[in-house]
Amino acid sequence: MNIDFTNKKTIALLSAVGVLAIATIAAVVVLLTLPGKAIQVEDFSGKTVEEIKQWATEKKLADSQLVIDYEFSDTVDKDKLISQSIASEQKLNKDSVLTVVFSKGPDPDVEVTLPDFKDMTEEEIEKFVETNKLLDVTYEYAVDEKIEKGKFIKVNVTDTVVKRSTMLIFTISQGEDGTGEQIIVPDFSDYTKAKITNWAKANKVTINWKEEASDKIAKDKVISQDPKAGETIKTGDKITVTLSLGKTVTMKSLAKMSKDEAKKWLNDNGLVGEFSEAYSGSIEYGYVISNTPEKGDVKQGSTVKVKVSLGKIKLESFIGKKKEDAENFKKKVNNSEANLTFTYSEVESTEAVGTIVSQGYDSGTYLSPGTTVNFQISKGKSVTVENKAGSSEDDFKKYISSLGLNLGTRSTVYSDKAAGLIVENETGSKAAGSSVWYKVSLGLYNPAASDFNNKTVADARKIIENANNSGAGWSFVEQGSDYNETVASGITYDCSASSSEKKVSCFVSKGPAPKPVNVGSFEGKSFNEFNSFITNNGLKLGTKTEEYSDTYAAGTIISNDTGEFTKGTAVNYTISLGSSKIQIVDLTTKVVANDPEGTKNNIMNYLTGQGFPAGNINITIETSDVTRGELIDYPGAGFIDKNDKITIVISSGPSD
């Protein structure tokens, strides 16, 4: 077919077709590029996660436009809405993201300090539990004859600090008679856990909670109860209630999912994600490294910990910076599991001391976790320090400054060099900017003797010790000690100093000479009275002599040394043993018939019991016509002297 492009009708027709085509294309472009119709956001207060997801489905929101997050909250109940990123009645267009945050309830890991519950009532315990958001509390009731009804008996833990999630079982007293009234058990199938708990507390019944997964019974609803509804129990009895955990979810590895993909999977399965970030050498930025748990069945509403990759670590440039700058960077990235190790070595350099002059990897290098980076730090150019002993301190300071070094520790010593001259200084190779120690002469130590008078010995020695700490090399000597009427005891006097011997000598006072004590006669007085006088006057008991006396009773002083005695001197004395006379009965009364040995023992025991010395008694048994066991020879009844020796003869009877 041939078309005549010179024909005016043809040209007009083609022009019309072209315009129509261009208009059609433009309309399509406009339709494709115009934003979709904006959606008005509702007030989601009181809505559940499932209800919000249903709303998003009805409004045909893209998966990426709805983000569901969870946070711990002490003020918003678990699974209740905390916030929404776009307020109600505002518009949500196709590029917007709506984030809704739901409560995970109180943080279970918060620690709570338990009080002493002793003497607390059940109501006071309940108030403490509510105020501190304790999450797993059960009340049991028991008969107790000693503890008042409604008062605390015990709790199942001994720790004083526990987490909110710790299981606490409080036992409350039912008093002496805990039988209570009969109670008809209600049907708990439509009760919440809180309502069951309140019913149990009101009726003083212990609830034994159990949990089971269920595909049929909704989460937190009652699966079963024992005893069953309608049965009769009494106060203090136990009821076992089994609650549904809802459907279980089979966990899987979320590794290599994007963070948004992981969130969606968790939300779709009714799980709560707890996200953290860490560096990784193999997982791309924004993708999941690992999750815990990674497998097994978990209940809906459980928290899954998800670690998301930050990628590799981008190394900064630390050239010209300090070690502290590198360490701060390392600390920051290592908080996210970078596990970098930095090593440092010193090198000579014209750069300022302490400046980093090289690093093992270039700035901008992406490092895998666990990498070791080596840094070199400038220690400046080294210089050699000479021995400047004998120089003035001012000249030494100028010399150190000219080398680019700093003055280090300054100490002073006594020496034969004039005061103010350098005695010794640090020498050898030193890095630029480092410090140099030095010692300055105090001259010769030449103490004045008068400086040591009227001092305690300890203080005098301390003066020498302090000087010797600075190299004086002197000694302190106690010349001797004597009484001194004007100088207190233990104080130095008449000190002298010898430069040739490098020695300070001092006398040490014993204080004023003690006055003598006049000791009179204590004849006829008690030993206690004599001893008290001796002790109170600073004297000592000397040699004690004991004598029998018919004049002075036992324990009485017969005689003692008298006159003036210096304190500390011993005073001798003689003390009475009492009278040497003893009175004995007729010894024939001590005879044991036909038993010479019995008679001997009987008489010996009697005489020694009367105080007669056994060594002065001589008893023999001899053959005689006198009846066996009778006395042949013996002292008669009456007084005998302990100093006398007595002889007693006992008959052994006639010889055969």
Side-chain angles (χ1 to χ4, degrees), residues 40-98:
Q40 183 170 304
V41 176
E42 296 181 9
D43 181 358
F44 295 118
S45 300
K47 300 287 186 181
T48 65
V49 172
E50 292 304 320
E51 288 172 336
I52 295 175
K53 286 181 179 180
Q54 181 63 35
W55 174 86
T57 301
E58 292 172 357
K59 299 299 182 182
K60 298 181 180 180
L61 264 63
D63 290 342
S64 61
Q65 286 186 274
L66 177 63
V67 175
I68 299 175
D69 276 339
Y70 293 83
E71 294 179 0
F72 290 118
S73 174
D74 285 353
T75 57
V76 179
D77 291 339
K78 185 178 180 182
D79 296 326
K80 298 295 183 182
L81 183 73
I82 295 176
S83 65
Q84 59 188 81
S85 61
I86 300 177
S88 62
E89 299 185 0
Q90 291 189 4
K91 302 297 182 180
L92 171 68
N93 60 42
K94 68 172 186 176
D95 296 323
S96 301
V97 176
L98 172 63

Side-chain angles (χ1 to χ4, degrees), residues 380-440:
K381 284 290 185 181
S382 62
V383 294
T384 300
V385 181
E386 299 176 353
N387 182 0
K388 288 295 180 179
S391 300
S392 69
E393 185 174 4
D394 285 342
D395 287 344
F396 178 75
K397 289 179 178 179
K398 292 175 183 177
Y399 169 71
I400 294 301
S401 178
S402 70
L403 296 177
L405 303 174
N406 297 314
L407 291 171
T409 303
R410 177 187 187 274
S411 59
T412 55
V413 294
Y414 291 102
S415 77
D416 56 1
K417 289 183 170 56
L421 297 184
I422 299 298
V423 175
E424 185 183 4
N425 63 274
E426 189 175 2
T427 60
S429 179
K430 298 287 291 181
S434 56
S435 299
V436 178
W437 60 261
Y438 63 105
K439 294 180 181 179
V440 180

